[in-house]
Amino acid sequence: MPNEGKKRGRREEKKRKREEENAVLATSERQKSEDIDDVEIIVNGNEVYEGENYGANAGPTEIPFYGLLDEDEQEYFKRADSMLELNQFANAEERSLFLNSVYMEANGKELKIANSQSCSRLLERLIMMSTPSQLKALFQKLSGHFIHLAQHRFASHCCETLFLQCAPIVTQELLGSLEEQQKAATDGEIYVSMENLFLYALNELEDNLGYLMTDPFASHTLRVLLLVLSGRPLADSNTTTLIQSKKKENIAMASHNSTESVLESNSRTVPEAFHAAVERMISGMVAVLDTTYLRALTTHPIGNPVLQLLLELELSSSEKQKAKESGSLFRKLIPEDTSEVDSSASFVNSLMYDTVGSRLVEVIIKFAPGKTFKMLYANIFRDKLGAMAKNDIAGFIVIKVLDRLSKEDLQSAMERINPQIGLLVDRSRTSIIKTLIERCRIRGADVQSVGDELVRAYGTDPVQRLKKMLRLDTSDTGGMADDRKNQMEKQDTGKVHGSLLAQSMLETPGVLRELITDGLLEMDTTTLVLVAKDRAASRMLQCSLAYSDQTVIFRRVLIQRFFGHIADLATDVIGSHVVDEFWAASKGLTFIRERIAAEILENEVLLRESFSGRAIWRNWKMDVFKTKRGEWIFRAKELDGQVKTGIEAARKKFADTSRINKRGARAKKQSGANALAVATVT
């Protein structure tokens, strides 16, 4: 008989030993990150450091060991973690009681849990479900240890989650009343605001910012702290990619929104002390680090995102004049004089084709002052747009440049990019062409030359041109599983880019729109059905029907091509969206709506067996059409504005009557005048 006190035998023993090794060797593991390249950095022109050796001399020398959880504690916290992940509590009160019990058990063990590989996820889930008072208590217990927790492989994620969840509380306290503070004073407790807790955490990290910028774990925590202090949106897509790596695990609970649910997609109101703290951080880092080290960080995979965020905060702040000062971070990277022979121009040129450094150039182009951008464009980018557009990395910089050009500069940029359109089409790099078309439409520039180049690249035949643009696969895939089809479509990113290009062309009236509409009208019905069922191409088809300035003739002819295939599309997950679009596209074409509804009614049994078919039946209000067709037609006309209400009909009748009476009075008056004139003559 096995010993009952020994859980899972040898596997449990190996697991425990592995956790002990992870905790003891946490510092060495941090040094072995695969994401860091060795960079030679010269500081103050005196000493040379290789890669992270600079950080080792500037940062903390030792990370304390907080101890390990025993077997019973690990087992309890693992069970609690699984229960929080499932989130199957009867009500909010039961969940609150469970959270309180977990916090009581974790009292005094917070640092051990944060550093544990298996239990750090529990702490993250606890933070995501905690109340403001619980978050404050946890923040106070971790204060004084952030400098070490931020550098830990597992505890750093707990710090990030804590900062993100506590950010809205700062705004609530700032905009709320003083009731909580007064209540704490009456209870004899010392009230500590969340604002002060964040400032304490910043003071703890402030002396080691130069080192933390290149730390593989603390760098992410530092970015989150900067975002919280600056008041920038925390749930924005651009923000998420900047503060999180692609490998970050998404900690979520069933039937519970993710971390982004409590985060705000808009800017937050933060205290003035936060803005002053951000400015102090930027000025302090610039004072310590010279231009050579800063430029070396631009190609550092860990330090570059921090530089991006610092530059964005400096250039987009309310006091933009500080960014123009010689001691600012922006001026240390890009001095005032940026002629072609200057070192700063060579520096920007070296970054344009670097996978890491090019992202910093994008930030500079997007947020640089107008005068500085014009100087950079004239001296660096203008003559190289054609060559940059061909490059897979520099092409993203071209997109950012096009977003800031005036109409005249856009015309000259078009002349340089047009010769490369054929090559861009062959490489499926159509995002530059799409951006060029969109900016020309916004600026009112002529796009005839772009249309001519697209015809040369895709061909003169309208149908084949559209097929090539959408990369439409006409081969039979009926026997292929749906998940396999979806996997192949996700891997083929060229289809998505081609569909987005076609949509931007449809948004541009004139020759570009005609290139797409001509191809749709000349396609045979079988190919049109394939387009409607294709995940990427169907978006283009919906857009062609959605624009209000699209002609009635085009909509009528195109919709009629799908007669006889409505039921097939309605039962398809993707094609059903096209059928939904037919309702809005047939505005003013009641006979077409009746024909589509009649075809849906004929296949009622087939549609009711399909999830998408039932949605079509509900959206088209087929129950009313089946039982009260006259009422259905009346409602369809009423939604289109063809049927007037009683008061509207009375007003129209009164206006018509008044107009007729006035017309009769004028005619009678004119006839009387004519009779008088005749009498006078005689």
Side-chain angles (χ1 to χ4, degrees):
M1 293 292 292
N3 188 1
E4 294 181 358
K6 191 174 182 180
K7 300 178 181 179
R8 301 188 64 181
R10 290 173 295 176
R11 287 181 293 178
E12 183 71 18
E13 184 68 23
K14 290 180 180 179
K15 191 175 183 181
R16 187 164 58 253
K17 288 182 178 180
R18 186 164 57 249
E19 290 182 355
E20 292 176 359
E21 292 174 357
N22 288 337
V24 175
L25 300 178
T27 307
S28 61
E29 285 180 357
R30 177 178 52 79
Q31 301 287 344
K32 296 177 181 178
S33 175
E34 297 178 356
D35 296 333
I36 300 179
D37 299 332
D38 289 336
V39 181
E40 185 180 88
I41 301 174
I42 303 176
V43 181
N44 299 328
N46 298 323
E47 295 180 275
V48 179
Y49 300 97
E50 294 288 338
E52 297 222 21
N53 290 334
Y54 174 77
N57 286 274
T61 57
E62 183 180 356
I63 296 180
F65 177 62
Y66 295 107
L68 297 173
L69 298 169
D70 58 36
E71 293 183 9
D72 294 336
E73 291 172 342
Q74 288 190 19
E75 191 66 26
Y76 172 80
F77 289 129
K78 286 178 182 178
R79 287 199 307 269
D81 185 30
S82 62
M83 292 184 66
L84 288 177
E85 184 178 8
L86 294 174
N87 197 22
Q88 295 178 346
F89 300 100
N91 47 49
E93 183 180 359
E94 181 180 340
R95 185 176 64 182
S96 178
L97 292 174
F98 180 76
L99 289 176
N100 290 334
S101 64
V102 175
Y103 266 112
M104 290 179 61
E105 184 66 28
N107 186 27
K109 309 181 185 73
E110 293 85 1
L111 296 175
K112 294 182 182 180
I113 297 174
N115 286 269
S116 173
Q117 179 180 4
S118 58
C119 298
S120 60
R121 295 180 183 86
L122 166 67
L123 188 57
E124 288 192 66
R125 289 193 175 93
L126 272 178
I127 293 171
M128 293 165 61
M129 304 177 73
S130 296
T131 61
S133 58
Q134 291 172 337
L135 289 175
K136 273 190 177 183
L138 180 61
F139 207 124
Q140 290 177 345
K141 291 182 178 181
L142 298 183
S143 292
H145 303 277
F146 283 120
I147 186 63
H148 304 300
L149 295 177
Q151 301 172 72
H152 194 272
R153 181 177 181 180
F154 309 119
S156 60
H157 296 286
C158 299
C159 295
E160 295 173 32
T161 307
L162 180 63
F163 291 161
L164 289 173
Q165 297 295 317
C166 291
I169 302 177
V170 177
T171 306
Q172 294 173 9
E173 291 181 348
L174 189 64
L175 302 178
S177 61
L178 300 177
E179 294 181 0
E180 184 180 352
Q181 185 174 355
Q182 294 173 354
K183 182 180 178 181
T186 56
D187 294 341
E189 299 178 1
I190 299 176
Y191 176 81
V192 181
S193 64
M194 190 62 73
E195 173 187 352
N196 290 332
L197 290 177
F198 271 110
L199 293 177
Y200 294 155
L202 176 61
N203 291 334
E204 188 179 345
L205 303 176
E206 199 166 13
D207 294 336
N208 300 282
L209 292 178
Y211 166 76
L212 297 177
M213 286 178 64
T214 56
D215 186 272
F217 308 120
S219 172
H220 298 278
T221 307
L222 184 60
R223 297 174 217 169
V224 172
L225 184 59
L226 279 170
L227 282 173
V228 171
L229 295 176
S230 64
R232 303 298 298 274
L234 300 176
D236 186 68
S237 58
N238 296 328
T239 300
T240 304
T241 57
L242 192 61
I243 63 177
Q244 295 181 359
S245 65
K246 296 180 180 179
K247 300 178 182 179
K248 181 175 176 60
E249 181 182 359
N250 183 25
I251 303 294
M253 287 78 71
S255 304
H256 187 272
N257 294 332
S258 61
T259 307
E260 295 182 358
S261 61
V262 298
L263 304 183
E264 301 178 9
S265 57
N266 300 321
S267 298
R268 295 168 291 105
T269 303
V270 295
E272 289 295 331
F274 279 15
H275 295 297
V278 172
E279 294 178 3
R280 189 173 68 250
M281 286 178 66
I282 297 175
S283 59
M285 295 173 70
V286 172
V288 174
L289 308 177
D290 60 3
T291 302
T292 306
Y293 180 71
L294 286 174
R295 290 188 173 183
L297 283 178
T298 57
T299 55
H300 195 286
I302 305 299
N304 178 274
V306 183
L307 275 185
Q308 291 182 47
L309 185 56
L310 290 173
L311 266 178
E312 181 179 341
L313 295 177
E314 185 179 73
L315 294 174
S316 60
S317 63
S318 57
E319 300 180 3
K320 295 184 179 181
Q321 296 298 327
K322 289 187 176 182
K324 300 179 181 180
E325 298 176 359
S326 58
S328 66
L329 175 62
F330 178 69
R331 283 305 174 201
K332 275 208 170 185
L333 292 173
I334 310 291
E336 185 74 25
D337 183 18
T338 55
S339 61
E340 190 66 31
V341 297
D342 192 59
S343 61
S344 60
S346 302
F347 165 67
V348 175
N349 286 330
S350 65
L351 294 181
M352 289 192 302
Y353 301 97
D354 186 84
T355 54
V356 177
S358 61
R359 295 183 178 271
L360 187 69
V361 180
E362 293 180 38
V363 174
I364 292 174
I365 293 173
K366 183 177 180 180
F367 295 100
K371 181 180 178 181
T372 304
F373 170 75
K374 290 179 180 179
M375 187 163 45
L376 289 173
Y377 176 72
N379 295 332
I380 301 176
F381 301 120
R382 182 173 56 192
D383 298 332
K384 301 177 182 178
L385 283 180
M388 292 169 62
K390 295 187 296 183
N391 188 270
D392 294 345
I393 299 173
F396 294 100
I397 299 177
V398 175
I399 293 175
K400 295 295 183 182
V401 170
L402 293 176
D403 286 338
R404 296 200 60 175
L405 293 182
S406 61
K407 181 179 179 180
E408 294 74 15
D409 291 333
L410 202 59
Q411 291 284 2
S412 63
M414 195 188 311
E415 296 175 359
R416 293 176 171 85
I417 296 176
N418 280 345
Q420 312 299 333
I421 287 181
L423 182 61
L424 294 175
V425 169
D426 293 338
R427 295 180 178 179
S428 299
R429 303 286 299 176
T430 56
S431 55
I432 296 177
I433 309 174
K434 169 182 169 292
T435 305
L436 181 62
I437 293 173
E438 291 175 347
R439 298 309 301 173
C440 288
R441 183 182 70 253
I442 294 172
R443 297 294 189 186
D446 185 20
V447 293
Q448 180 66 44
S449 59
V450 178
D452 296 339
E453 293 295 334
L454 288 173
V455 171
R456 295 190 187 96
Y458 285 109
T460 56
D461 182 72
V463 177
Q464 297 300 324
R465 178 175 61 227
L466 191 54
K467 282 184 178 181
K468 183 179 179 181
M469 185 179 298
L470 299 175
R471 302 182 70 164
L472 194 63
D473 186 10
T474 57
S475 60
D476 185 16
T477 58
M480 187 179 296
D482 293 338
D483 55 350
R484 179 59 179 166
K485 290 181 184 178
N486 296 337
Q487 183 182 7
M488 292 179 62
E489 290 178 357
K490 289 180 180 179
Q491 292 175 351
D492 190 4
T493 57
K495 295 186 68 172
V496 178
H497 288 292
S499 176
L500 292 174
L501 174 62
Q503 293 175 45
S504 65
M505 294 171 66
L506 284 169
E507 293 175 2
T508 309
V511 61
L512 294 181
R513 177 180 292 178
E514 293 174 359
L515 291 178
I516 305 299
T517 56
D518 291 348
L520 287 173
L521 293 176
E522 294 189 20
M523 271 187 180
D524 58 274
T525 304
T526 305
T527 307
L528 281 175
V529 173
L530 287 176
V531 171
K533 292 183 177 182
D534 188 87
R535 189 177 298 274
S538 64
R539 298 297 186 99
M540 179 274 303
L541 183 59
Q542 296 174 51
C543 288
S544 67
L545 297 169
Y547 296 118
S548 58
D549 56 346
Q550 195 68 276
T551 61
V552 177
I553 298 176
F554 169 79
R555 290 187 279 119
R556 185 186 66 205
V557 173
L558 185 61
I559 294 175
Q560 287 178 335
R561 302 282 294 280
F562 290 94
F563 287 167
H565 301 274
I566 299 298
D568 184 24
L569 293 177
T571 54
D572 186 79
V573 177
I574 301 171
S576 59
H577 296 287
V578 179
V579 180
D580 277 333
E581 192 63 44
F582 285 164
W583 177 271
S586 58
K587 181 179 180 180
L589 304 172
T590 309
F591 70 96
I592 290 182
R593 283 182 178 174
E594 289 187 63
R595 173 68 183 273
I596 296 175
E599 189 171 340
I600 293 175
L601 184 60
E602 291 175 2
N603 299 272
E604 178 182 359
V605 177
L606 181 63
L607 265 68
R608 289 189 180 277
E609 294 176 353
S610 169
F611 175 80
S612 56
R614 290 192 295 271
I616 293 295
W617 185 274
R618 182 175 58 255
N619 294 341
W620 276 74
K621 298 177 175 58
M622 292 303 301
D623 290 328
V624 180
F625 181 83
K626 183 179 180 180
T627 57
K628 302 176 182 179
R629 183 170 299 193
E631 183 180 347
W632 185 89
I633 295 174
F634 179 81
R635 288 184 180 181
K637 291 181 178 180
E638 187 178 17
L639 290 173
D640 291 345
Q642 299 179 25
V643 178
K644 294 181 173 60
T645 61
I647 187 64
E648 290 175 344
R651 287 173 179 172
K652 185 177 185 302
K653 183 178 180 179
F654 177 78
D656 294 341
T657 304
S658 301
R659 188 167 54 253
I660 293 173
N661 293 336
K662 289 180 180 179
R663 190 181 301 167
R666 283 197 303 268
K668 186 180 294 185
K669 184 178 180 180
Q670 185 66 29
S671 62
N674 292 339
L676 180 63
V678 171
T680 304
V681 171
T682 56

